[in-house]
């Protein structure tokens, strides 16, 4: 696996790749888990070259504490990517990705202010802006995102259509631990007691027949609910477990 630390080096590689190559791209913020590895697998199955980026994007953290505490585990991440037979890992610096000091932004003004957007002001503008920059730099044929962040995936897909970007956006199923808890970098911050509560969240969220029933079951289990909502035949949840924010969602069509 080749590690690329600056935009110029990647552009040279990109230019040198044969036109027949198909490039799959998995953008990440590192602290990789089986959910990310399912995306690299999908990319390897469908492309001849797979690029993963690792960049903890400061502009998408509405809570500065979350940015500070985001686990940075580069050595382990690189080992996982090598084992996963990823071809290139792009690890840019914030200064090179934001030469404009974030004065230029990509925002969406309808879906991005609902659900996650309502509770995390500015989050999706940060996400869309960094993903737009990464798509412009990497120029992949296909980019892969997890269903766990469904709203993020839908907004990125909408952005690529709105701006005529030549990248197919593919969504891959949420990968869950045996307990049903969706893999997330935030799970690493859970103590054993909080992990038990997080697993309860996953269970209760998948069992209720209505949102209000789920909400009252969660409250009874001592879990702080931010929202349980249905939208476009999908059920979404955000909760706090010991101050750690967890999200989940699933399609109601499959039920
Ligand atoms: O889902 C993530 O890890 C991030 O939001 C992404 C897409 C890598 C943008 O920073």
């Amino acid at each position: 696996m080749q590690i690329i630390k600056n935009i110029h080096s990647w552009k040279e590689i990109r230019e040198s790749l044969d036109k027949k190559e198909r490039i799959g791209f998995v953008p990440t913020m590192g602290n990789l888990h089986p959910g990310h590895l399912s995306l690299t697998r999908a990319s390897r199955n469908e492309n001849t070259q797979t690029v993963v980026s690792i960049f903890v994007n400061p502009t998408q953290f509405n809570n500065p504490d979350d940015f500070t505490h985001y686990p940075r585990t580069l050595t382990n991440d690189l080992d996982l990517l090598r084992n996963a037979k990823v071809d290139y890992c792009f690890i840019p610096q914030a200064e090179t990705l934001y030469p404009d000091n974030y004065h230029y932004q990509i925002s969406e003004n309808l879906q991005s202010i609902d659900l996650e957007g309502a509770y995390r002001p500015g989050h999706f503008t940060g996400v869309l802006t960094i993903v737009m920059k990464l798509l412009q730099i990497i120029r992949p044929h296909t980019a892969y995102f997890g269903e766990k962040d469904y709203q993020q995936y839908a907004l990125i897909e909408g952005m690529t259509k709105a701006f005529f970007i030549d990248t197919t956006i593919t969504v891959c199923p949420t990968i869950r631990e045996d307990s049903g808890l969706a893999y997330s970098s935030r799970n690493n911050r859970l103590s054993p007691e909080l992990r038990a509560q997080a697993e309860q969240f996953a269970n209760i969220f998948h069992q209720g027949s209505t949102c209000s029933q789920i909400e009252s079951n969660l409250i009874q289990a001592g879990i702080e609910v931010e929202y349980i909502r249905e939208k476009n035949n999908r059920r979404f949840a955000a909760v706090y477990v010991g101050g750690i924010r967890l999200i989940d969602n699933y399609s109601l069509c499959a039920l």
Side-chain angles (χ1 to χ4, degrees):
M1 179 175 78
Q2 216 170 318
I3 296 172
I4 296 127
K5 292 193 170 160
N6 66 69
I7 298 172
H8 180 72
S9 307
W10 168 253
K11 284 199 165 166
E12 279 188 354
I13 294 170
R14 182 71 178 86
E15 285 305 310
S16 71
L17 289 176
D18 195 290
K19 293 261 181 302
K20 285 194 209 115
E21 302 277 9
R22 300 250 349 141
I23 298 165
F25 177 44
V26 180
T28 81
M29 298 206 296
N31 197 230
L32 305 180
H33 53 64
H36 294 111
L37 298 177
S38 76
L39 304 182
T40 64
R41 263 196 309 279
S43 172
R44 274 178 43 80
N45 285 340
E46 294 171 10
N47 301 278
T48 57
Q49 302 289 329
T50 289
V51 185
V52 172
S53 64
I54 298 181
F55 178 65
V56 186
N57 174 36
T59 65
Q60 71 188 72
F61 289 86
N62 55 309
N63 175 353
D65 233 35
D66 273 354
F67 177 62
T68 312
H69 289 116
Y70 193 88
R72 279 122 171 125
T73 52
L74 187 59
T75 309
N76 190 50
D77 291 346
L78 293 176
D79 283 346
L80 290 172
L81 295 178
R82 279 190 200 99
N83 286 339
K85 307 244 176 314
V86 163
D87 301 284
Y88 300 99
C89 182
F90 180 55
I91 315 174
Q93 297 296 311
E95 309 82 75
T96 55
L97 283 182
Y98 287 102
D100 59 323
N101 284 326
Y102 198 42
H103 288 295
Y104 286 86
Q105 304 178 354
I106 304 286
S107 64
E108 191 274 357
N109 64 13
L110 187 64
Q111 305 299 340
S112 72
I113 49 178
D114 195 15
L115 295 166
E116 281 300 278
Y119 292 91
R120 302 186 64 190
H123 167 65
F124 285 123
T125 300
V127 169
L128 292 178
T129 304
I130 192 65
V131 171
M132 175 66 111
K133 285 171 188 270
L134 290 169
L135 293 179
Q136 296 300 330
I137 295 166
I138 304 296
R139 291 197 290 120
H141 294 91
T142 305
Y144 296 82
F145 296 87
E147 186 181 353
K148 154 120 188 321
D149 295 300
Y150 191 84
Q151 212 184 346
Q152 163 174 283
Y153 145 71
L155 282 161
I156 290 169
E157 193 188 41
M159 173 181 80
T160 58
K161 295 212 163 103
F163 291 100
F164 309 101
I165 294 175
D166 263 344
T167 298
T168 303
I169 302 300
T170 295
V171 66
C172 299
T174 302
I175 305 294
R176 298 179 184 279
E177 299 180 2
D178 289 343
S179 64
L181 178 64
Y183 279 103
S184 160
S185 301
R186 289 173 191 236
N187 296 357
N188 291 338
R189 292 168 58 192
L190 297 166
S191 64
E193 299 81 66
L194 292 180
R195 169 166 284 277
Q197 235 189 1
E199 291 174 358
Q200 243 186 326
F201 155 56
N203 259 314
I204 294 171
F205 180 52
H206 281 80
Q207 274 167 14
S209 60
T210 64
C211 289
S212 55
Q213 191 200 345
I214 291 171
E215 182 158 355
S216 69
N217 292 349
L218 286 169
I219 292 168
Q220 242 174 31
I223 295 167
E224 187 188 331
V225 176
E226 194 155 72
Y227 63 79
I228 309 288
R229 274 261 316 277
E230 280 173 21
K231 187 173 176 177
N232 300 337
N233 263 326
R234 192 166 276 275
R235 192 172 271 165
F236 296 86
V239 301
Y240 279 94
V241 167
I244 298 162
R245 192 168 183 280
L246 300 175
I247 60 169
D248 203 346
N249 75 85
Y250 52 86
S251 165
L252 292 168
C253 303
L255 294 180

